[in-house]
Amino acid sequence: MAMPFSSAASVRSLYQTKSHTTNASLTLQGSYCRETSCKKCLSTCTNVASWSSAANYVSLQVGTRKFSGKPIVVKLSEQKRAGVLRCATIEEIEAEKSLIEKDVKQRMEKTIETVRGNFNAVRTGRANPAMLDRVEVEYYGTPVSLKSIAQISTPDASSLLIQPYDKSSLKVIEKAIVNSDLGLTPNNDGEVIRLSVPQLTSDRRKELLKIVAKQAEEGKVALRNIRRDAIKSYEKLEKEKKLSEDNVKDLSSDLQKVTDEYMKKIDSVYKQKEKELLTV
C-alpha cells in the first residue's frame, strides 16, 4: 500500500550503501516486518528489493511484502555511499506539467493562425491585401514573401496595387502572381503592378466554400493531434510514477476544455470567411 507524505517532509532521496549485502539498508519505525532489529533505536531494518514513487506517495517493497501504515525514515549508513536514488519533487513535477500546458497552447495558437492564413489566401469578391500573403517571390535566388519586398494597397474595392521597394523585382513579382493559384492577371506598367479582382460567380463561390470548409476541418484535426500528444506526455509521467491515474484523468479533462475553446475559434473564423464568400 502506498503511504502519503507532505511536501514539507517528503522523502527526497534513498541511498544505497556498501555493506555485506548488495541492497540498501532502510529503517522503518514500528514496522511489522520480522527482520533484523536495532536495539538502540527500537526500529526494524531490512534490505530493500524495490521502491517506487508518485507525486504524493512512495511505496517500498521487500520480496513480496509491502510496508504500510507508518512514516518511512531513511536510515543512512556511516559507510561510503555507492549511489543515490532520488524521488522527483512536487516542484519538478509541476514544472513538467506547466511545460506540457504551455506547449499545447502555443501549438494551438499557431494552428489558429495557420487556418486564418489559409482563409485569407482564398479570394472573395472584394480586394484584400491578405489575398497575397502566401505568394512567394524568387528574389535574388531566395524565396521571400511578396509583402516583404513590396507595399500592397487597395485603391478601390475591386483592385490591388503592388509597389515594390526595388523596381528591378517587378518581373519576378509578376511571374510569382501568374504562377500562384489566385487566378489573377497582373498588369505591369514598369512602375507598379495592378491586379483587378473580378466578381465571383455562383459556382465559384460554392467551390471556395468547400475549400475553406476542408481547411477548417484540417485545423480541427491538428488540434486533436496536439491534444493526443499532450495526453501521451501525461501518461508518460504516470508510468514514471510522477502522476497518479486520477491526476491524468483530471488533466485530460482540463485539456479537453482547452481544445473545445480552440475548436470554437476555428468555427468563428470559418463562419466569418463563409459570410465573406456569400456576400455579393
PDB file of all heavy atoms in Angstrom, residues 67-106:
ATOM      1  N   PHE A  67       5.500  -2.493   2.864  1.00  0.00           N
ATOM      2  CA  PHE A  67       5.321  -1.850   4.162  1.00  0.00           C
ATOM      3  C   PHE A  67       4.198  -0.842   4.078  1.00  0.00           C
ATOM      4  O   PHE A  67       3.999  -0.216   3.054  1.00  0.00           O
ATOM      5  CB  PHE A  67       6.614  -1.117   4.555  1.00  0.00           C
ATOM      6  CG  PHE A  67       7.786  -2.040   4.723  1.00  0.00           C
ATOM      7  CD1 PHE A  67       8.776  -2.092   3.762  1.00  0.00           C
ATOM      8  CD2 PHE A  67       7.879  -2.876   5.828  1.00  0.00           C
ATOM      9  CE1 PHE A  67       9.844  -2.944   3.893  1.00  0.00           C
ATOM     10  CE2 PHE A  67       8.942  -3.724   5.963  1.00  0.00           C
ATOM     11  CZ  PHE A  67       9.940  -3.755   4.999  1.00  0.00           C
ATOM     12  N   SER A  68       3.479  -0.638   5.160  1.00  0.00           N
ATOM     13  CA  SER A  68       2.396   0.340   5.158  1.00  0.00           C
ATOM     14  C   SER A  68       2.121   0.828   6.570  1.00  0.00           C
ATOM     15  O   SER A  68       2.537   0.226   7.545  1.00  0.00           O
ATOM     16  CB  SER A  68       1.118  -0.289   4.577  1.00  0.00           C
ATOM     17  OG  SER A  68       0.719  -1.381   5.376  1.00  0.00           O
ATOM     18  N   GLY A  69       1.400   1.940   6.639  1.00  0.00           N
ATOM     19  CA  GLY A  69       0.883   2.408   7.916  1.00  0.00           C
ATOM     20  C   GLY A  69       1.730   3.449   8.602  1.00  0.00           C
ATOM     21  O   GLY A  69       1.212   4.408   9.160  1.00  0.00           O
ATOM     22  N   LYS A  70       3.056   3.312   8.649  1.00  0.00           N
ATOM     23  CA  LYS A  70       3.917   4.214   9.383  1.00  0.00           C
ATOM     24  C   LYS A  70       4.765   5.056   8.430  1.00  0.00           C
ATOM     25  O   LYS A  70       5.093   4.614   7.342  1.00  0.00           O
ATOM     26  CB  LYS A  70       4.848   3.416  10.312  1.00  0.00           C
ATOM     27  CG  LYS A  70       4.109   2.626  11.390  1.00  0.00           C
ATOM     28  CD  LYS A  70       3.475   3.532  12.421  1.00  0.00           C
ATOM     29  CE  LYS A  70       2.839   2.719  13.553  1.00  0.00           C
ATOM     30  NZ  LYS A  70       2.252   3.578  14.572  1.00  0.00           N
ATOM     31  N   PRO A  71       5.151   6.277   8.865  1.00  0.00           N
ATOM     32  CA  PRO A  71       6.030   7.087   8.031  1.00  0.00           C
ATOM     33  C   PRO A  71       7.352   6.375   7.799  1.00  0.00           C
ATOM     34  O   PRO A  71       7.844   5.655   8.650  1.00  0.00           O
ATOM     35  CB  PRO A  71       6.231   8.360   8.860  1.00  0.00           C
ATOM     36  CG  PRO A  71       5.076   8.381   9.805  1.00  0.00           C
ATOM     37  CD  PRO A  71       4.767   6.943  10.106  1.00  0.00           C
ATOM     38  N   ILE A  72       7.940   6.592   6.620  1.00  0.00           N
ATOM     39  CA  ILE A  72       9.209   5.959   6.284  1.00  0.00           C
ATOM     40  C   ILE A  72      10.352   6.858   6.744  1.00  0.00           C
ATOM     41  O   ILE A  72      10.340   8.061   6.507  1.00  0.00           O
ATOM     42  CB  ILE A  72       9.318   5.734   4.772  1.00  0.00           C
ATOM     43  CG1 ILE A  72       8.223   4.776   4.329  1.00  0.00           C
ATOM     44  CG2 ILE A  72      10.685   5.227   4.382  1.00  0.00           C
ATOM     45  CD1 ILE A  72       8.173   4.580   2.851  1.00  0.00           C
ATOM     46  N   VAL A  73      11.342   6.279   7.392  1.00  0.00           N
ATOM     47  CA  VAL A  73      12.534   7.012   7.801  1.00  0.00           C
ATOM     48  C   VAL A  73      13.725   6.361   7.129  1.00  0.00           C
ATOM     49  O   VAL A  73      13.920   5.160   7.231  1.00  0.00           O
ATOM     50  CB  VAL A  73      12.733   6.981   9.334  1.00  0.00           C
ATOM     51  CG1 VAL A  73      14.012   7.712   9.710  1.00  0.00           C
ATOM     52  CG2 VAL A  73      11.529   7.596  10.030  1.00  0.00           C
ATOM     53  N   VAL A  74      14.476   7.158   6.383  1.00  0.00           N
ATOM     54  CA  VAL A  74      15.638   6.613   5.718  1.00  0.00           C
ATOM     55  C   VAL A  74      16.809   6.623   6.686  1.00  0.00           C
ATOM     56  O   VAL A  74      17.183   7.663   7.203  1.00  0.00           O
ATOM     57  CB  VAL A  74      15.999   7.448   4.467  1.00  0.00           C
ATOM     58  CG1 VAL A  74      17.263   6.909   3.817  1.00  0.00           C
ATOM     59  CG2 VAL A  74      14.840   7.442   3.484  1.00  0.00           C
ATOM     60  N   LYS A  75      17.353   5.486   7.003  1.00  0.00           N
ATOM     61  CA  LYS A  75      18.476   5.358   7.917  1.00  0.00           C
ATOM     62  C   LYS A  75      19.764   5.267   7.111  1.00  0.00           C
ATOM     63  O   LYS A  75      19.983   4.320   6.366  1.00  0.00           O
ATOM     64  CB  LYS A  75      18.326   4.098   8.792  1.00  0.00           C
ATOM     65  CG  LYS A  75      19.417   3.990   9.862  1.00  0.00           C
ATOM     66  CD  LYS A  75      19.158   2.793  10.755  1.00  0.00           C
ATOM     67  CE  LYS A  75      20.211   2.712  11.855  1.00  0.00           C
ATOM     68  NZ  LYS A  75      19.980   1.569  12.741  1.00  0.00           N
ATOM     69  N   LEU A  76      20.602   6.292   7.207  1.00  0.00           N
ATOM     70  CA  LEU A  76      21.819   6.360   6.434  1.00  0.00           C
ATOM     71  C   LEU A  76      22.939   5.593   7.129  1.00  0.00           C
ATOM     72  O   LEU A  76      23.160   5.745   8.312  1.00  0.00           O
ATOM     73  CB  LEU A  76      22.256   7.818   6.232  1.00  0.00           C
ATOM     74  CG  LEU A  76      21.227   8.725   5.545  1.00  0.00           C
ATOM     75  CD1 LEU A  76      21.795  10.131   5.449  1.00  0.00           C
ATOM     76  CD2 LEU A  76      20.892   8.192   4.175  1.00  0.00           C
ATOM     77  N   SER A  77      23.631   4.786   6.404  1.00  0.00           N
ATOM     78  CA  SER A  77      24.766   4.057   6.941  1.00  0.00           C
ATOM     79  C   SER A  77      25.977   4.973   6.974  1.00  0.00           C
ATOM     80  O   SER A  77      26.107   5.892   6.173  1.00  0.00           O
ATOM     81  CB  SER A  77      25.067   2.826   6.068  1.00  0.00           C
ATOM     82  OG  SER A  77      26.280   2.242   6.440  1.00  0.00           O
ATOM     83  N   GLU A  78      26.870   4.771   7.952  1.00  0.00           N
ATOM     84  CA  GLU A  78      28.082   5.571   8.032  1.00  0.00           C
ATOM     85  C   GLU A  78      29.109   5.114   7.014  1.00  0.00           C
ATOM     86  O   GLU A  78      30.155   5.730   6.846  1.00  0.00           O
ATOM     87  CB  GLU A  78      28.678   5.466   9.448  1.00  0.00           C
ATOM     88  CG  GLU A  78      27.781   6.105  10.510  1.00  0.00           C
ATOM     89  CD  GLU A  78      28.393   6.009  11.889  1.00  0.00           C
ATOM     90  OE1 GLU A  78      29.485   5.418  11.994  1.00  0.00           O
ATOM     91  OE2 GLU A  78      27.794   6.541  12.833  1.00  0.00           O
ATOM     92  N   GLN A  79      28.800   4.001   6.328  1.00  0.00           N
ATOM     93  CA  GLN A  79      29.726   3.513   5.321  1.00  0.00           C
ATOM     94  C   GLN A  79      29.626   4.372   4.068  1.00  0.00           C
ATOM     95  O   GLN A  79      28.696   5.144   3.889  1.00  0.00           O
ATOM     96  CB  GLN A  79      29.405   2.050   4.989  1.00  0.00           C
ATOM     97  CG  GLN A  79      29.488   1.153   6.220  1.00  0.00           C
ATOM     98  CD  GLN A  79      29.056  -0.254   5.862  1.00  0.00           C
ATOM     99  OE1 GLN A  79      29.495  -0.779   4.857  1.00  0.00           O
ATOM    100  NE2 GLN A  79      28.224  -0.831   6.684  1.00  0.00           N
ATOM    101  N   LYS A  80      30.572   4.229   3.167  1.00  0.00           N
ATOM    102  CA  LYS A  80      30.642   5.017   1.958  1.00  0.00           C
ATOM    103  C   LYS A  80      29.412   4.781   1.083  1.00  0.00           C
ATOM    104  O   LYS A  80      29.004   3.664   0.861  1.00  0.00           O
ATOM    105  CB  LYS A  80      31.900   4.638   1.173  1.00  0.00           C
ATOM    106  CG  LYS A  80      32.113   5.510  -0.072  1.00  0.00           C
ATOM    107  CD  LYS A  80      33.391   5.115  -0.767  1.00  0.00           C
ATOM    108  CE  LYS A  80      33.600   5.969  -2.013  1.00  0.00           C
ATOM    109  NZ  LYS A  80      34.835   5.595  -2.722  1.00  0.00           N
ATOM    110  N   ARG A  81      28.808   5.879   0.576  1.00  0.00           N
ATOM    111  CA  ARG A  81      27.640   5.773  -0.277  1.00  0.00           C
ATOM    112  C   ARG A  81      28.056   5.323  -1.670  1.00  0.00           C
ATOM    113  O   ARG A  81      28.950   5.886  -2.275  1.00  0.00           O
ATOM    114  CB  ARG A  81      26.931   7.127  -0.374  1.00  0.00           C
ATOM    115  CG  ARG A  81      26.379   7.610   0.976  1.00  0.00           C
ATOM    116  CD  ARG A  81      25.915   9.034   0.866  1.00  0.00           C
ATOM    117  NE  ARG A  81      25.462   9.519   2.158  1.00  0.00           N
ATOM    118  CZ  ARG A  81      25.160  10.791   2.399  1.00  0.00           C
ATOM    119  NH1 ARG A  81      25.288  11.679   1.456  1.00  0.00           N
ATOM    120  NH2 ARG A  81      24.742  11.162   3.593  1.00  0.00           N
ATOM    121  N   ALA A  82      27.349   4.336  -2.192  1.00  0.00           N
ATOM    122  CA  ALA A  82      27.679   3.811  -3.516  1.00  0.00           C
ATOM    123  C   ALA A  82      26.862   4.488  -4.607  1.00  0.00           C
ATOM    124  O   ALA A  82      27.244   4.510  -5.755  1.00  0.00           O
ATOM    125  CB  ALA A  82      27.442   2.308  -3.557  1.00  0.00           C
ATOM    126  N   GLY A  83      25.713   5.080  -4.262  1.00  0.00           N
ATOM    127  CA  GLY A  83      24.883   5.724  -5.268  1.00  0.00           C
ATOM    128  C   GLY A  83      23.666   6.359  -4.637  1.00  0.00           C
ATOM    129  O   GLY A  83      23.397   6.153  -3.455  1.00  0.00           O
ATOM    130  N   VAL A  84      22.915   7.155  -5.401  1.00  0.00           N
ATOM    131  CA  VAL A  84      21.758   7.882  -4.891  1.00  0.00           C
ATOM    132  C   VAL A  84      20.567   7.648  -5.805  1.00  0.00           C
ATOM    133  O   VAL A  84      20.684   7.766  -7.022  1.00  0.00           O
ATOM    134  CB  VAL A  84      22.046   9.395  -4.804  1.00  0.00           C
ATOM    135  CG1 VAL A  84      20.793  10.134  -4.338  1.00  0.00           C
ATOM    136  CG2 VAL A  84      23.192   9.670  -3.857  1.00  0.00           C
ATOM    137  N   LEU A  85      19.433   7.281  -5.216  1.00  0.00           N
ATOM    138  CA  LEU A  85      18.170   7.174  -5.941  1.00  0.00           C
ATOM    139  C   LEU A  85      17.273   8.293  -5.449  1.00  0.00           C
ATOM    140  O   LEU A  85      17.017   8.393  -4.265  1.00  0.00           O
ATOM    141  CB  LEU A  85      17.508   5.814  -5.693  1.00  0.00           C
ATOM    142  CG  LEU A  85      18.277   4.595  -6.202  1.00  0.00           C
ATOM    143  CD1 LEU A  85      17.549   3.331  -5.794  1.00  0.00           C
ATOM    144  CD2 LEU A  85      18.461   4.665  -7.694  1.00  0.00           C
ATOM    145  N   ARG A  86      16.778   9.134  -6.339  1.00  0.00           N
ATOM    146  CA  ARG A  86      16.092  10.347  -5.936  1.00  0.00           C
ATOM    147  C   ARG A  86      14.660  10.412  -6.461  1.00  0.00           C
ATOM    148  O   ARG A  86      14.408  10.128  -7.624  1.00  0.00           O
ATOM    149  CB  ARG A  86      16.856  11.554  -6.470  1.00  0.00           C
ATOM    150  CG  ARG A  86      16.289  12.901  -6.082  1.00  0.00           C
ATOM    151  CD  ARG A  86      17.249  13.988  -6.531  1.00  0.00           C
ATOM    152  NE  ARG A  86      16.719  15.281  -6.244  1.00  0.00           N
ATOM    153  CZ  ARG A  86      15.894  15.950  -7.058  1.00  0.00           C
ATOM    154  NH1 ARG A  86      15.507  15.391  -8.177  1.00  0.00           N
ATOM    155  NH2 ARG A  86      15.458  17.151  -6.740  1.00  0.00           N
ATOM    156  N   CYS A  87      13.720  10.765  -5.571  1.00  0.00           N
ATOM    157  CA  CYS A  87      12.331  10.956  -5.975  1.00  0.00           C
ATOM    158  C   CYS A  87      12.183  12.342  -6.614  1.00  0.00           C
ATOM    159  O   CYS A  87      12.841  13.285  -6.198  1.00  0.00           O
ATOM    160  CB  CYS A  87      11.391  10.879  -4.773  1.00  0.00           C
ATOM    161  SG  CYS A  87      11.407   9.291  -3.937  1.00  0.00           S
ATOM    162  N   ALA A  88      11.325  12.479  -7.614  1.00  0.00           N
ATOM    163  CA  ALA A  88      11.049  13.788  -8.198  1.00  0.00           C
ATOM    164  C   ALA A  88      10.275  14.622  -7.183  1.00  0.00           C
ATOM    165  O   ALA A  88       9.357  14.130  -6.533  1.00  0.00           O
ATOM    166  CB  ALA A  88      10.238  13.635  -9.478  1.00  0.00           C
ATOM    167  N   THR A  89      10.661  15.893  -7.035  1.00  0.00           N
ATOM    168  CA  THR A  89       9.962  16.769  -6.106  1.00  0.00           C
ATOM    169  C   THR A  89       8.656  17.251  -6.727  1.00  0.00           C
ATOM    170  O   THR A  89       8.469  17.204  -7.946  1.00  0.00           O
ATOM    171  CB  THR A  89      10.824  17.987  -5.749  1.00  0.00           C
ATOM    172  OG1 THR A  89      11.015  18.766  -6.947  1.00  0.00           O
ATOM    173  CG2 THR A  89      12.178  17.554  -5.198  1.00  0.00           C
ATOM    174  N   ILE A  90       7.772  17.743  -5.875  1.00  0.00           N
ATOM    175  CA  ILE A  90       6.494  18.273  -6.352  1.00  0.00           C
ATOM    176  C   ILE A  90       6.743  19.444  -7.299  1.00  0.00           C
ATOM    177  O   ILE A  90       6.057  19.597  -8.314  1.00  0.00           O
ATOM    178  CB  ILE A  90       5.617  18.707  -5.155  1.00  0.00           C
ATOM    179  CG1 ILE A  90       5.233  17.481  -4.324  1.00  0.00           C
ATOM    180  CG2 ILE A  90       4.376  19.450  -5.634  1.00  0.00           C
ATOM    181  CD1 ILE A  90       4.457  17.796  -3.083  1.00  0.00           C
ATOM    182  N   GLU A  91       7.750  20.275  -6.979  1.00  0.00           N
ATOM    183  CA  GLU A  91       8.072  21.419  -7.822  1.00  0.00           C
ATOM    184  C   GLU A  91       8.497  20.986  -9.224  1.00  0.00           C
ATOM    185  O   GLU A  91       8.104  21.589 -10.224  1.00  0.00           O
ATOM    186  CB  GLU A  91       9.191  22.258  -7.182  1.00  0.00           C
ATOM    187  CG  GLU A  91       8.793  23.000  -5.910  1.00  0.00           C
ATOM    188  CD  GLU A  91       8.785  22.085  -4.692  1.00  0.00           C
ATOM    189  OE1 GLU A  91       9.223  20.910  -4.815  1.00  0.00           O
ATOM    190  OE2 GLU A  91       8.342  22.545  -3.614  1.00  0.00           O
ATOM    191  N   GLU A  92       9.290  19.924  -9.301  1.00  0.00           N
ATOM    192  CA  GLU A  92       9.757  19.427 -10.590  1.00  0.00           C
ATOM    193  C   GLU A  92       8.604  18.869 -11.425  1.00  0.00           C
ATOM    194  O   GLU A  92       8.532  19.069 -12.640  1.00  0.00           O
ATOM    195  CB  GLU A  92      10.825  18.347 -10.386  1.00  0.00           C
ATOM    196  CG  GLU A  92      12.146  18.902  -9.871  1.00  0.00           C
ATOM    197  CD  GLU A  92      13.112  17.811  -9.462  1.00  0.00           C
ATOM    198  OE1 GLU A  92      12.671  16.684  -9.187  1.00  0.00           O
ATOM    199  OE2 GLU A  92      14.316  18.098  -9.419  1.00  0.00           O
ATOM    200  N   ILE A  93       7.698  18.163 -10.761  1.00  0.00           N
ATOM    201  CA  ILE A  93       6.546  17.593 -11.460  1.00  0.00           C
ATOM    202  C   ILE A  93       5.635  18.709 -11.979  1.00  0.00           C
ATOM    203  O   ILE A  93       5.149  18.666 -13.108  1.00  0.00           O
ATOM    204  CB  ILE A  93       5.762  16.647 -10.530  1.00  0.00           C
ATOM    205  CG1 ILE A  93       6.640  15.439 -10.175  1.00  0.00           C
ATOM    206  CG2 ILE A  93       4.467  16.182 -11.191  1.00  0.00           C
ATOM    207  CD1 ILE A  93       6.088  14.574  -9.084  1.00  0.00           C
ATOM    208  N   GLU A  94       5.416  19.744 -11.148  1.00  0.00           N
ATOM    209  CA  GLU A  94       4.595  20.879 -11.577  1.00  0.00           C
ATOM    210  C   GLU A  94       5.236  21.589 -12.762  1.00  0.00           C
ATOM    211  O   GLU A  94       4.543  22.064 -13.664  1.00  0.00           O
ATOM    212  CB  GLU A  94       4.408  21.867 -10.407  1.00  0.00           C
ATOM    213  CG  GLU A  94       3.481  21.374  -9.313  1.00  0.00           C
ATOM    214  CD  GLU A  94       2.067  21.135  -9.821  1.00  0.00           C
ATOM    215  OE1 GLU A  94       1.602  21.896 -10.689  1.00  0.00           O
ATOM    216  OE2 GLU A  94       1.427  20.171  -9.371  1.00  0.00           O
ATOM    217  N   ALA A  95       6.568  21.676 -12.750  1.00  0.00           N
ATOM    218  CA  ALA A  95       7.281  22.321 -13.857  1.00  0.00           C
ATOM    219  C   ALA A  95       7.074  21.544 -15.155  1.00  0.00           C
ATOM    220  O   ALA A  95       6.863  22.131 -16.222  1.00  0.00           O
ATOM    221  CB  ALA A  95       8.778  22.429 -13.536  1.00  0.00           C
ATOM    222  N   GLU A  96       7.114  20.206 -15.075  1.00  0.00           N
ATOM    223  CA  GLU A  96       6.897  19.375 -16.262  1.00  0.00           C
ATOM    224  C   GLU A  96       5.471  19.545 -16.792  1.00  0.00           C
ATOM    225  O   GLU A  96       5.247  19.638 -17.994  1.00  0.00           O
ATOM    226  CB  GLU A  96       7.154  17.906 -15.930  1.00  0.00           C
ATOM    227  CG  GLU A  96       8.624  17.572 -15.735  1.00  0.00           C
ATOM    228  CD  GLU A  96       8.873  16.073 -15.634  1.00  0.00           C
ATOM    229  OE1 GLU A  96       8.659  15.377 -16.629  1.00  0.00           O
ATOM    230  OE2 GLU A  96       9.283  15.621 -14.553  1.00  0.00           O
ATOM    231  N   LYS A  97       4.494  19.598 -15.881  1.00  0.00           N
ATOM    232  CA  LYS A  97       3.106  19.800 -16.286  1.00  0.00           C
ATOM    233  C   LYS A  97       2.926  21.165 -16.957  1.00  0.00           C
ATOM    234  O   LYS A  97       2.235  21.279 -17.974  1.00  0.00           O
ATOM    235  CB  LYS A  97       2.184  19.696 -15.070  1.00  0.00           C
ATOM    236  CG  LYS A  97       1.973  18.269 -14.574  1.00  0.00           C
ATOM    237  CD  LYS A  97       1.395  18.228 -13.184  1.00  0.00           C
ATOM    238  CE  LYS A  97       0.148  19.041 -13.011  1.00  0.00           C
ATOM    239  NZ  LYS A  97      -0.383  19.008 -11.639  1.00  0.00           N
ATOM    240  N   SER A  98       3.587  22.189 -16.402  1.00  0.00           N
ATOM    241  CA  SER A  98       3.468  23.541 -16.964  1.00  0.00           C
ATOM    242  C   SER A  98       4.044  23.603 -18.372  1.00  0.00           C
ATOM    243  O   SER A  98       3.502  24.278 -19.251  1.00  0.00           O
ATOM    244  CB  SER A  98       4.186  24.558 -16.061  1.00  0.00           C
ATOM    245  OG  SER A  98       3.572  24.623 -14.799  1.00  0.00           O
ATOM    246  N   LEU A  99       5.152  22.902 -18.585  1.00  0.00           N
ATOM    247  CA  LEU A  99       5.771  22.875 -19.916  1.00  0.00           C
ATOM    248  C   LEU A  99       4.836  22.240 -20.948  1.00  0.00           C
ATOM    249  O   LEU A  99       4.724  22.716 -22.073  1.00  0.00           O
ATOM    250  CB  LEU A  99       7.093  22.105 -19.869  1.00  0.00           C
ATOM    251  CG  LEU A  99       8.295  22.843 -19.274  1.00  0.00           C
ATOM    252  CD1 LEU A  99       9.500  21.915 -19.183  1.00  0.00           C
ATOM    253  CD2 LEU A  99       8.646  24.073 -20.104  1.00  0.00           C
ATOM    254  N   ILE A 100       4.165  21.160 -20.537  1.00  0.00           N
ATOM    255  CA  ILE A 100       3.221  20.497 -21.441  1.00  0.00           C
ATOM    256  C   ILE A 100       2.064  21.435 -21.786  1.00  0.00           C
ATOM    257  O   ILE A 100       1.680  21.578 -22.948  1.00  0.00           O
ATOM    258  CB  ILE A 100       2.685  19.197 -20.808  1.00  0.00           C
ATOM    259  CG1 ILE A 100       3.824  18.183 -20.629  1.00  0.00           C
ATOM    260  CG2 ILE A 100       1.570  18.591 -21.660  1.00  0.00           C
ATOM    261  CD1 ILE A 100       3.447  16.954 -19.832  1.00  0.00           C
ATOM    262  N   GLU A 101       1.509  22.098 -20.767  1.00  0.00           N
ATOM    263  CA  GLU A 101       0.383  23.008 -20.974  1.00  0.00           C
ATOM    264  C   GLU A 101       0.786  24.192 -21.855  1.00  0.00           C
ATOM    265  O   GLU A 101       0.027  24.609 -22.748  1.00  0.00           O
ATOM    266  CB  GLU A 101      -0.135  23.504 -19.625  1.00  0.00           C
ATOM    267  CG  GLU A 101      -0.785  22.411 -18.786  1.00  0.00           C
ATOM    268  CD  GLU A 101      -0.985  22.823 -17.338  1.00  0.00           C
ATOM    269  OE1 GLU A 101      -0.666  23.990 -17.014  1.00  0.00           O
ATOM    270  OE2 GLU A 101      -1.442  21.994 -16.540  1.00  0.00           O
ATOM    271  N   LYS A 102       1.991  24.723 -21.633  1.00  0.00           N
ATOM    272  CA  LYS A 102       2.479  25.847 -22.431  1.00  0.00           C
ATOM    273  C   LYS A 102       2.653  25.440 -23.890  1.00  0.00           C
ATOM    274  O   LYS A 102       2.272  26.174 -24.809  1.00  0.00           O
ATOM    275  CB  LYS A 102       3.811  26.345 -21.869  1.00  0.00           C
ATOM    276  CG  LYS A 102       4.374  27.562 -22.578  1.00  0.00           C
ATOM    277  CD  LYS A 102       5.681  28.015 -21.943  1.00  0.00           C
ATOM    278  CE  LYS A 102       6.258  29.216 -22.678  1.00  0.00           C
ATOM    279  NZ  LYS A 102       7.549  29.656 -22.072  1.00  0.00           N
ATOM    280  N   ASP A 103       3.210  24.254 -24.105  1.00  0.00           N
ATOM    281  CA  ASP A 103       3.421  23.759 -25.463  1.00  0.00           C
ATOM    282  C   ASP A 103       2.086  23.568 -26.181  1.00  0.00           C
ATOM    283  O   ASP A 103       1.958  23.895 -27.369  1.00  0.00           O
ATOM    284  CB  ASP A 103       4.185  22.437 -25.415  1.00  0.00           C
ATOM    285  CG  ASP A 103       4.411  21.841 -26.806  1.00  0.00           C
ATOM    286  OD1 ASP A 103       5.141  22.455 -27.599  1.00  0.00           O
ATOM    287  OD2 ASP A 103       3.853  20.761 -27.081  1.00  0.00           O
ATOM    288  N   VAL A 104       1.085  23.060 -25.458  1.00  0.00           N
ATOM    289  CA  VAL A 104      -0.244  22.844 -26.050  1.00  0.00           C
ATOM    290  C   VAL A 104      -0.824  24.169 -26.541  1.00  0.00           C
ATOM    291  O   VAL A 104      -1.281  24.275 -27.695  1.00  0.00           O
ATOM    292  CB  VAL A 104      -1.195  22.202 -25.025  1.00  0.00           C
ATOM    293  CG1 VAL A 104      -2.650  22.328 -25.488  1.00  0.00           C
ATOM    294  CG2 VAL A 104      -0.854  20.736 -24.831  1.00  0.00           C
ATOM    295  N   LYS A 105      -0.805  25.194 -25.703  1.00  0.00           N
ATOM    296  CA  LYS A 105      -1.407  26.477 -26.077  1.00  0.00           C
ATOM    297  C   LYS A 105      -0.651  27.149 -27.221  1.00  0.00           C
ATOM    298  O   LYS A 105      -1.260  27.755 -28.113  1.00  0.00           O
ATOM    299  CB  LYS A 105      -1.473  27.389 -24.853  1.00  0.00           C
ATOM    300  CG  LYS A 105      -2.492  26.916 -23.824  1.00  0.00           C
ATOM    301  CD  LYS A 105      -2.643  27.895 -22.686  1.00  0.00           C
ATOM    302  CE  LYS A 105      -3.716  27.415 -21.708  1.00  0.00           C
ATOM    303  NZ  LYS A 105      -3.901  28.363 -20.586  1.00  0.00           N
ATOM    304  N   GLN A 106       0.688  27.054 -27.204  1.00  0.00           N
ATOM    305  CA  GLN A 106       1.471  27.652 -28.288  1.00  0.00           C
ATOM    306  C   GLN A 106       1.159  26.984 -29.624  1.00  0.00           C
ATOM    307  O   GLN A 106       0.969  27.658 -30.644  1.00  0.00           O
ATOM    308  CB  GLN A 106       2.966  27.536 -27.975  1.00  0.00           C
ATOM    309  CG  GLN A 106       3.450  28.483 -26.888  1.00  0.00           C
ATOM    310  CD  GLN A 106       4.937  28.326 -26.603  1.00  0.00           C
ATOM    311  OE1 GLN A 106       5.546  27.307 -26.938  1.00  0.00           O
ATOM    312  NE2 GLN A 106       5.531  29.321 -25.982  1.00  0.00           N
TER     313      GLN A 106
END
